Amino acid sequence: MPLTRDFKETIQARIERDPACREELLKEGVERLLSGDVDTGKAVLRDYINATIGFQELGGLTEKSPKSLMRMFGPAGNPQARNLFEVIGRLQKREGLHLKVHAVR
């Protein structure tokens, strides 16, 4: 079921005013990727990008076409690890945070 416009606008407004929410969304996307849930991880990161930096600005930071980045994070996208980690690194830097991996049993 696709998200409604009101829901997306509500989430975007919260992300704009709440740094903790932005941080959690970025963290959730990366955690999903690391757990092997690539489709959900890409979707969460796509939502994060749309609600924060936007694909146009991200394209400038990564020297990649915004359309290419949109495809990369789209449902059929299959990003190379190099590109994916470059984007995650740029998003972390822009957000002013550094994600770390912790082993949990």
Side-chain angles (χ1 to χ4, degrees):
M1 177 176 175
L3 296 177
T4 65
R5 185 166 196 74
D6 290 340
F7 180 77
K8 285 183 178 182
E9 288 172 357
T10 300
I11 296 300
Q12 186 160 6
R14 169 119 189 252
I15 288 171
E16 286 174 3
R17 73 174 186 273
D18 186 355
C21 183
R22 283 194 309 272
E23 182 178 320
E24 284 302 313
L25 193 59
L26 178 56
K27 186 173 130 186
E28 179 68 20
V30 173
E31 285 177 350
R32 292 293 181 145
L33 290 172
L34 292 174
S35 73
D37 188 357
V38 176
D39 291 336
T40 303
K42 288 188 315 177
V44 171
L45 288 175
R46 182 179 57 244
D47 290 343
Y48 173 86
I49 293 164
N50 279 322
T52 58
I53 189 172
F55 282 98
Q56 193 69 35
E57 186 177 339
L58 182 59
L61 291 174
T62 60
E63 299 181 0
K64 293 181 181 10
S65 155
K67 289 191 184 278
S68 176
L69 291 167
M70 284 185 242
R71 281 191 302 273
M72 186 167 89
F73 287 97
N78 188 16
Q80 293 181 1
R82 176 186 315 270
N83 294 332
L84 188 58
F85 287 120
E86 178 185 3
V87 167
I88 291 169
R90 298 290 181 166
L91 295 175
Q92 288 180 93
K93 185 174 183 178
R94 186 173 185 280
E95 190 64 41
L97 96 118
H98 178 77
L99 299 173
K100 292 184 177 183
V101 176
H102 297 277
V104 178
R105 291 196 189 270

